[in-house]
Amino acid sequence: MAAAMFSSSLFPTTHLNKPLTSQFRPLSFRPSFSRIRASLLQDKEDKVILQDSFPSKTTSPSDSATASNSSNDTVSSPSAWEKGVIKVEQSFNIFLTDSVIKILDALYHDRNYARFFVLETIARVPYFAFMSILHMYESFGWWRRADYLKVHFAESWNEMHHLLIMEELGGNAWWFDRFLAQHIAIFYYFMTALMYAISPRMAYHFSECVENHAFETYDKFIKEQGEELKKMPAPEVAVNYYMGDDLYLFDEFQTSRVPNTRRPKIENLYDVFLNIRDDEAEHCKTMRACQTDGNLRSPHSYAEDDDESVCTLEAGCEGIVDCIKKSVTSNPAKVK
């Protein structure tokens, strides 16, 4: 998914051709910032159809009808000051994303697979950073959010297989590409971890920007190279990943979908890139959901509501400052 961010460096930003319809509408501050070009996959743009989705709130699928009607009443409108903070965060994310895209576009304007390799090497990094900070919060007794850890690990697992596919396609053949990708990834890790510690909302929005760019990049690549890709065989790693027997982690990162509703078929390289593109759209929706504190839930957790081993929090916190403040005024997280 950082791939996303930099991936749009491949091609100019394009509008998508299919509607990204879904019942999944996270409780974010979308209406106040419709002018921000950023990363949002807007409801009335051309998008990818993603069906069998969960409601935006952390309710079970059976509650979807009532959830959609009551969501606006559940979350109070942000204050003018908070709106200003969000706008600054999003503007910074957009500027940073566009700047890196221009740099990578200059370096990889005619080497698609090498560019994809660099981007997918970087793509896993935000999820590592998220999990690192979440583990730190858990160690301090501030947060205990099993669903967040599960979903972010599943996202990193998905991005790792994107990387393995690009390696099998020869994207890592030149030492310079490996050197560049690995060192950017190190810097990107610490930057994302710091951003996530200060403002999870900002970090998730930045990742949404990245994933949106990734979707657009792969979508453009498919449209321009589709006929050639259909003549080429699919890498073995892609066949094993998308058509394997154990797809628990594949379902886990798609938080807007009911498990077992998306089962790709891989017959050629075109199908591989088509599924990578759709993976990026799912990452984007998950990152959008995460921008509302406590809004993320594992797709498999809906079937585990009665499992007493599920970890929950008495009270959440946003960012390290809020966590420190609440740690001296509230009880630590408990396993109920």
Side-chain angles (χ1 to χ4, degrees):
M1 151 210 301
M5 142 190 173
F6 309 115
S7 58
S8 97
S9 59
L10 262 176
F11 304 99
T13 300
T14 62
H15 293 293
L16 314 179
N17 287 337
K18 301 180 182 178
L20 182 62
T21 60
S22 81
Q23 304 169 26
F24 178 74
R25 301 195 183 284
L27 304 175
S28 60
F29 308 111
R30 191 174 56 248
S32 301
F33 304 102
S34 57
R35 294 177 186 161
I36 296 184
R37 180 178 65 74
S39 45
L40 303 179
L41 293 179
Q42 302 186 12
D43 297 328
K44 295 184 180 179
E45 293 283 331
D46 295 349
K47 305 164 185 176
V48 179
I49 298 177
L50 299 173
Q51 301 174 346
D52 299 309
S53 58
F54 285 121
S56 62
K57 295 179 63 180
T58 54
T59 55
S60 66
S62 62
D63 296 330
S64 60
T66 56
S68 60
N69 294 330
S70 61
S71 60
N72 292 333
D73 299 330
T74 305
V75 177
S76 59
S77 300
S79 64
W81 180 85
E82 188 175 8
K83 289 180 180 179
V85 171
I86 295 172
K87 187 171 183 178
V88 170
E89 291 175 352
Q90 293 187 349
S91 298
F92 175 81
N93 289 341
I94 297 165
F95 171 78
L96 183 59
T97 301
D98 289 347
S99 298
V100 176
I101 286 170
K102 290 178 181 178
I103 294 173
L104 292 183
D105 189 50
L107 292 174
Y108 291 98
H109 64 281
D110 59 352
R111 294 195 300 130
N112 292 337
Y113 292 155
R115 182 192 335 235
F116 290 147
F117 164 77
V118 172
L119 299 178
E120 295 297 350
T121 300
I122 300 167
R124 300 177 299 159
V125 168
Y127 305 117
F128 297 155
F130 298 160
M131 289 188 289
S132 296
I133 300 301
L134 288 171
H135 276 295
M136 181 187 73
Y137 288 170
E138 184 173 310
S139 298
F140 290 163
W142 295 341
W143 280 8
R144 185 170 290 163
R145 295 186 174 178
D147 280 12
Y148 278 69
L149 290 171
K150 286 168 61 181
V151 170
H152 291 332
F153 177 77
E155 288 178 300
S156 71
W157 187 257
N158 175 257
E159 296 289 8
M160 182 193 73
H161 282 84
H162 292 179
L163 175 62
L164 294 176
I165 290 169
M166 298 312 160
E167 289 178 347
E168 193 165 334
L169 293 173
N172 64 336
W174 191 24
W175 71 268
F176 174 78
D177 297 325
R178 299 192 299 272
F179 178 88
L180 180 66
Q182 292 161 1
H183 286 76
I184 290 178
I186 293 173
F187 171 80
Y188 188 38
Y189 170 82
F190 287 104
M191 184 198 78
T192 306
L194 178 61
M195 184 185 293
Y196 192 66
I198 297 173
S199 173
R201 178 186 59 211
M202 182 178 182
Y204 284 132
H205 178 265
F206 184 71
S207 292
E208 185 192 352
C209 291
V210 170
E211 298 296 358
N212 185 40
H213 280 299
F215 174 89
E216 293 176 345
T217 299
Y218 284 119
D219 187 62
K220 181 65 175 179
F221 179 70
I222 290 169
K223 289 172 181 175
E224 294 200 348
Q225 305 291 332
E227 293 305 314
E228 290 299 320
L229 294 174
K230 290 177 181 178
K231 301 175 184 177
M232 303 173 68
E236 183 178 359
V237 65
V239 176
N240 293 338
Y241 174 64
Y242 286 111
M243 300 184 68
D245 294 330
D246 184 2
L247 292 178
Y248 180 93
L249 289 176
F250 179 73
D251 289 331
E252 182 69 13
F253 81 88
Q254 302 178 74
T255 56
S256 69
R257 282 182 173 272
V258 177
N260 302 315
T261 58
R262 180 185 169 207
R263 288 295 178 262
K265 292 185 178 180
I266 303 295
E267 297 181 353
N268 49 47
L269 193 55
Y270 177 86
D271 292 336
V272 173
F273 277 99
L274 192 68
N275 281 288
I276 292 176
R277 182 202 68 177
D278 292 348
D279 289 348
E280 304 297 357
E282 294 290 346
H283 286 301
C284 189
K285 294 202 298 179
T286 297
M287 291 297 96
R288 193 193 310 172
C290 288
Q291 291 170 48
T292 297
D293 181 46
N295 198 43
L296 182 68
R297 190 160 185 199
S298 160
H300 294 95
S301 289
Y302 291 106
E304 301 170 358
D305 285 340
D306 297 330
D307 186 349
E308 296 183 355
S309 67
V310 175
C311 295
T312 58
L313 251 193
E314 288 190 350
C317 53
E318 297 187 67
I320 194 167
V321 174
D322 189 39
C323 285
I324 293 174
K325 181 176 68 174
K326 289 185 178 180
S327 68
V328 299
T329 60
S330 60
N331 293 329
K334 295 180 180 180
V335 179
K336 295 184 179 181

